[in-house]
């Protein structure tokens, strides 16, 4: 992926230098603002890295814009680490879904609120599931900045114990119902072709994983580690810890529905109820 790309008149994407098995090519930082307004937002600053800050400042300068706020989709360090230091550097507030990220001089965003900033309007879309504080940001163009709710490649993780599969599914439907023109992801390339179909795929994928777990349990009780080794057999082991989190989150849902029991403790067997 190229480091800095203009995605549409209001939006540039700046790729941070933190590639990895979960962060894919690295974190995507977005610079958003109406051209000519002289102002822009920085969304998901990412790692607190001097070269990355320089790249974001170059993107701001290319638009003749100064940063007026730092927005954050969720608290994970690969999105939020630079929020406080960069907000201090620019002399602007952090805006996020949790007080922990917004900090003492920042602002906790309300689900559904509309922000008039940088010559444009940003809709705050609650998208809990990956984490409990996750927000997406809907732009005037109809594109949605989705953070880690949807990734540009592969699928996202419902973290455990913070994440929530039912909330995640509801959030996928909520973004689907917005009829997004594009999904600008926290990692990986932007999704501009039929975003609704991508969201349908994510919903179907969750149902598929759930069925795989039930099928594996139908063959006998197993620990979470054994379930991961079965369901994610063809995936590299470096993603198994994340797969274990999604598996535990799915088991929480199935347990709440009375369909499985056990497996709350690490070594305990899970079985069909
Ligand atoms: Zn995340």
């Amino acid at each position: 992926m190229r480091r800095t790309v203009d995605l549409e008149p209001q939006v540039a994407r700046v790729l941070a230098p933190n590639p990895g098995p979960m962060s894919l090519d690295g974190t995507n930082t977005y610079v958003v603002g109406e051209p000519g307004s002289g102002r822009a937002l920085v969304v998901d600053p990412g790692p607190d890295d001097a070269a990355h800050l320089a790249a974001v400042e170059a993107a701001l300068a290319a638009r003749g814009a100064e940063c007026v706020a730092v927005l954050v989709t969720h608290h994970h360090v690969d999105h939020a680490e630079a929020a406080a230091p960069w907000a201090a550097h620019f002399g602007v507030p952090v805006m996020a879904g949790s007080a922990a990220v917004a900090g003492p001089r920042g602002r906790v965003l309300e689900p559904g609120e509309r922000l008039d900033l940088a010559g444009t309007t940003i809709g705050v879309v609650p998208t809990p599931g990956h984490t409990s504080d996750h927000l997406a940001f809907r732009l005037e163009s109809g594109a949605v900045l989705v953070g880690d709710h949807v990734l540009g490649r592969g699928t996202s993780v419902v973290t455990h114990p913070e994440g929530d599969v039912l909330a995640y599914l509801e959030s996928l439907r909520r973004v689907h119902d917005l009829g997004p023109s594009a999904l600008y992801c926290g990692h990986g390339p932007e999704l501009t072709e039929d975003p609704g179909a991508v969201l349908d795929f994510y919903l179907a994928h969750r149902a598929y994983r759930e069925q795989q777990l039930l099928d594996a349990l139908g063959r006998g009780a197993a620990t979470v580690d054994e379930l991961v080794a079965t369901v994610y057999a063809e995936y590299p082991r470096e993603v198994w810890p994340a797969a274990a989190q999604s598996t535990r989150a799915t088991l929480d849902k199935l347990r709440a529905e009375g369909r499985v029991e056990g497996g709350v403790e690490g070594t305990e067997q899970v079985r069909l109820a």
Side-chain angles (χ1 to χ4, degrees):
M1 276 169 53
R2 267 170 56 214
R3 207 143 283 284
T4 300
V5 182
D6 285 322
L7 300 179
E8 55 179 87
Q10 287 194 348
V11 185
R13 167 169 55 71
V14 184
L15 175 62
N18 61 336
M22 301 311 298
S23 60
L24 307 180
D25 316 78
T27 300
N28 292 321
T29 298
Y30 295 93
V31 173
V32 179
E34 177 64 12
S37 70
R39 289 164 286 149
L41 315 167
V42 171
V43 182
D44 278 356
D48 187 12
D49 176 279
H52 186 45
L53 176 58
V56 169
E57 291 193 300
L60 287 163
R63 312 171 74 79
E66 65 178 71
C67 176
V68 293
V70 172
L71 272 62
V72 183
T73 55
H74 67 297
H75 69 82
H76 282 162
V77 67
D78 57 327
H79 296 255
E81 183 183 54
W86 290 16
H89 170 78
F90 290 122
V92 302
V94 177
M95 301 182 181
S98 67
V101 177
R105 283 176 295 282
R107 187 145 93 69
V108 177
L109 297 172
E110 296 294 329
E113 86 171 286
R114 293 162 69 83
L115 303 169
D116 289 311
L117 287 168
T120 188
T121 304
I122 313 272
V124 177
V125 185
T127 42
H130 173 74
T131 60
S132 60
D133 69 338
H134 201 288
L135 298 174
F137 300 112
R138 183 172 196 267
L139 309 181
E140 272 179 2
S141 66
V144 180
L145 302 176
V146 286
D148 280 358
H149 186 52
V150 176
L151 300 183
R153 277 199 303 280
T155 56
S156 187
V157 174
V158 177
T159 58
H160 184 86
E162 188 193 338
D164 183 316
V165 169
L166 277 180
Y168 185 72
L169 297 174
E170 215 172 281
S171 295
L172 287 172
R173 289 187 201 99
R174 183 173 301 121
V175 174
H176 189 286
D177 289 350
L178 295 174
S181 61
L183 301 175
Y184 297 155
C185 308
H187 306 280
E190 48 282 357
L191 301 169
T192 54
E193 309 245 322
D194 203 350
V198 173
L199 292 158
D200 286 337
F201 165 75
Y202 265 66
L203 285 161
H205 179 76
R206 283 286 145 206
Y208 170 68
R209 285 286 183 232
E210 183 177 300
Q211 192 54 50
Q212 279 185 307
L213 280 178
L214 291 168
D215 289 348
L217 291 169
R219 296 191 290 270
T223 64
V224 169
D225 287 349
E226 289 164 352
L227 288 169
V228 170
T230 304
V231 172
Y232 295 88
E234 75 272 31
Y235 286 80
R237 277 174 184 258
E238 59 189 359
V239 307
W240 283 14
Q245 290 199 40
S246 272
T247 298
R248 287 181 190 283
T250 303
L251 290 172
D252 278 356
K253 170 183 179 285
L254 292 170
R255 222 180 275 113
E257 292 169 349
R259 297 164 76 189
V260 306
E261 52 194 24
V264 180
E265 302 296 330
T267 55
E268 193 191 343
Q269 301 254 304
V270 189
R271 68 196 85 78
L272 293 178

